[in-house]
Amino acid sequence: MSLRIYGNRLLKTLPGQATRPTPARVREAVFNIWQGTIVGCRWLDLCSGSGAMAAEALCRGASSVVGIEQSSRACTVIRQNWQQVAKPDQTFQLLQGDVVQRLLTLKGQQFDRIYFDPPYDGNLYEPVLQAIDQHDLLAPAGELAAEHNPSRAMPEAIGTLVRDRQKVYGNTAVSFYRSQA
């Protein structure tokens, strides 16, 4: 299976819905919301899946991308996708493993844009948001977007992270958080 991103670039995905790529309509909406903030940004992609969101960030000028994905099969596809789109002056790093544990290894780094797309029925939302807050991973002017099922009640705040807004696109919702530190 494959999908297209910014610039009509074709990316690989794993067969089936194991990685559930973010729908094109949602990707476009998120990048429209974040328009003007991607060039030069530091992007963190959590539960990367196919790596499409970070690949799109690279295509739109992000200076660096870090991704975390648990599946080794997905990591192989993500690396191929990012190598295909990254320019020589852009860096990317992919960490395999449990997202909450791997976030600890990023302590001391900050990211301008964080995209978090876990399995909708999983219990990762609160632990990941807490870890991002505890490890101070969101830059002061940064923003985090968490993709989820529209029926899921997302927290208004976790630590210094405060939900700024929520957008719904059919069967997908995205909650945006900023740091109030």
Side-chain angles (χ1 to χ4, degrees):
M1 190 169 140
S2 60
L3 62 96
R4 293 197 183 278
I5 62 166
Y6 182 78
N8 205 26
R9 292 173 175 90
L10 193 62
L11 296 181
K12 295 178 184 178
T13 63
L14 290 176
Q17 289 295 308
T19 55
R20 189 187 37 79
T22 299
R25 177 177 164 201
V26 176
R27 282 195 322 270
E28 182 179 351
V30 168
F31 281 97
N32 282 340
I33 289 167
W34 284 346
Q35 183 177 353
T37 66
I38 303 300
V39 174
C41 84
R42 297 158 298 174
W43 181 280
L44 178 59
D45 195 32
L46 303 175
C47 302
S48 296
S50 66
M53 290 300 286
E56 186 130 359
L58 287 167
C59 290
R60 293 174 183 252
S63 65
S64 64
V65 163
V66 175
I68 300 175
E69 172 57 47
Q70 188 159 348
S71 164
S72 62
R73 288 181 59 225
C75 285
T76 300
V77 170
I78 294 165
R79 280 187 194 93
Q80 292 170 359
N81 286 336
W82 292 356
Q83 286 171 346
Q84 174 187 322
V85 300
K87 296 179 181 115
D89 63 337
Q90 294 173 308
T91 62
F92 61 87
Q93 176 185 15
L94 183 60
L95 306 172
Q96 184 182 346
D98 176 84
V99 65
V100 176
Q101 292 175 5
R102 295 305 256 160
L103 283 170
L104 178 60
T105 67
L106 299 176
K107 190 173 182 174
Q109 297 181 53
Q110 288 194 320
F111 298 90
D112 305 300
R113 295 290 174 260
I114 300 175
Y115 198 80
F116 175 39
D117 181 12
Y120 285 3
D121 59 354
N123 294 317
L124 289 174
Y125 290 97
E126 285 79 5
V128 167
L129 292 173
Q130 287 171 347
I132 289 167
D133 181 57
Q134 289 171 353
H135 305 313
D136 197 27
L137 298 176
L138 186 61
E143 193 167 36
L144 176 149
E147 187 178 318
H148 57 93
N149 187 307
S151 64
R152 181 189 227 17
M154 293 295 285
E156 290 290 326
I158 289 189
T160 63
L161 297 178
V162 176
R163 191 174 71 191
D164 188 42
R165 62 190 165 210
Q166 182 174 317
K167 304 286 186 177
V168 178
Y169 308 96
N171 295 328
T172 303
V174 182
S175 290
F176 293 85
Y177 291 85
R178 291 189 177 274
S179 177
Q180 298 298 315

